[in-house]
Amino acid sequence: MKNRIDAVNRTVLALLALLLVAAGALGLAVGYGLFGSQRPSLPLLPDPLREFAVDQPWLWWAIAAACVLLALLGLRWLAAQIVSSHVGRLDLTSDESQGVTTLNAGAFTDAVADDAETLRGVSGASATLKGERTQRLRLTVDLDDHADIVAVRRQLEEQTVARAREALDAPSFPVEIRLRPDAKQVSRPAPS
């Protein structure tokens, strides 16, 4: 879902940027007299429209309301960008009458990433906890150029993920594993 939101953000911002650049270019063209030498000295709005704006006082209130609405929509969009789905703490409490147990998410994800990096064929790993509605672990593993992908995947599931679930005492804790090939290998040109 985050990728879709990012794509929508990029598209809307690109269209807005193109619209503003076109308006600026049009303003510069009029200002420099590209549409006639008299145009820069003429009023921006035609006479009937200016007279309508003067005769209708409600028009300025409507324009002000539209500007406030645009500002509120902009603030809502900004607030949506700030919200993060990263989890800071994991609640491990099974019975609150016995007390509350929490685990720092950073310590947990660092331990999971360190565990994954010990596997043969792994050149690096990172882990994050996500949790909009339900919490899940995202484990991203960078592979060496000669890594056995099937063996690495099996070891991740049987060792790293199993230990992480055991530490949380949650055998069905959702884990998303992403395997990335060696960046140098991907960027190398194919032999001819």
Side-chain angles (χ1 to χ4, degrees), residues 57-186:
W58 61 266
L59 177 69
W60 299 110
W61 289 105
I63 290 172
C67 290
V68 168
L69 181 64
L70 278 174
L72 290 174
L73 287 173
L75 286 173
R76 172 69 178 103
W77 174 78
L78 243 149
Q81 305 311 305
I82 295 172
V83 173
S84 173
S85 65
H86 288 274
V87 176
R89 293 191 173 281
L90 279 170
D91 184 10
L92 302 178
T93 306
S94 58
D95 182 14
E96 287 193 21
S97 66
Q98 301 293 323
V100 177
T101 306
T102 59
L103 174 64
N104 183 308
F108 175 70
T109 55
D110 287 347
V112 171
D114 290 345
D115 189 6
E117 286 177 353
T118 63
L119 300 177
R120 183 178 182 159
V122 174
S123 62
S126 65
T128 55
L129 275 172
K130 301 283 187 174
E132 293 163 3
R133 290 190 185 96
T134 59
Q135 295 176 345
R136 70 186 187 284
L137 175 68
R138 178 181 291 165
L139 178 60
T140 304
V141 177
D142 297 323
L143 301 172
D144 289 338
D145 50 350
H146 299 293
D148 182 357
I149 296 173
V150 174
V152 170
R153 177 71 185 206
R154 185 175 23 76
Q155 288 178 324
L156 285 169
E157 290 174 353
E158 293 174 357
Q159 295 174 18
T160 305
V161 172
R163 284 194 278 258
R165 287 177 173 157
E166 183 181 347
L168 297 176
D169 194 24
S172 61
F173 192 82
V175 178
E176 175 185 328
I177 299 174
R178 294 182 175 190
L179 300 176
R180 293 191 301 200
D182 183 28
K184 291 177 276 186
Q185 181 182 9
V186 173

Side-chain angles (χ1 to χ4, degrees), residues 2-82:
K2 180 76 170 140
N3 290 338
R4 188 176 69 202
I5 292 171
D6 289 345
V8 169
N9 282 343
R10 283 191 296 270
T11 304
V12 169
L13 289 174
L15 290 174
L16 184 61
L18 286 173
L19 180 69
L20 292 174
V21 166
L26 180 64
L28 282 173
V30 169
Y32 282 114
L34 294 178
F35 295 109
S37 59
Q38 298 292 10
R39 188 72 184 145
S41 61
L42 294 176
L44 181 62
L45 299 175
D47 286 337
L49 188 57
R50 283 187 293 148
E51 289 171 11
F52 178 77
V54 169
D55 294 339
Q56 306 298 327
W58 61 266
L59 177 69
W60 299 110
W61 289 105
I63 290 172
C67 290
V68 168
L69 181 64
L70 278 174
L72 290 174
L73 287 173
L75 286 173
R76 172 69 178 103
W77 174 78
L78 243 149
Q81 305 311 305
I82 295 172

